[in-house]
Amino acid sequence: MLPQIQLLPGAISEILASVSETGILTLADRYGLMAAALDESLDEEERGCVNRLLRSVLKGRVTVVADLSAA
């Protein structure tokens, strides 16, 4: 049996704000994005935010780190 992955309310906007401020995508952020990708109930705005974050990573505007938090 696979464990249930559930996105916390407001997590996408919190990740977006954090990444916008620091320019860093942490391990915890990546787990949040994974949960978002698996969440079929995301609205169009949240899905757009996830896509924007992923494009920023691909274009090199955001640094991906192995740390659990940016602090």
Side-chain angles (χ1 to χ4, degrees), residues 11-66:
I12 298 298
S13 59
E14 184 65 34
I15 292 170
L16 185 60
S18 172
V19 171
S20 295
E21 183 179 314
T22 64
I24 295 172
L25 188 71
T26 65
L27 182 60
D29 295 335
R30 293 197 316 264
Y31 278 119
L33 291 176
M34 179 183 68
L38 297 173
D39 188 348
E40 295 177 2
S41 67
L42 280 185
D43 62 30
E44 191 173 322
E45 183 179 343
E46 290 175 316
R47 189 138 327 259
C49 288
V50 170
N51 289 337
R52 195 169 341 136
L53 278 168
L54 295 175
R55 277 194 305 273
S56 294
V57 169
L58 288 173
K59 291 184 177 191
R61 294 184 202 139
V62 172
T63 304
V64 178
V65 297

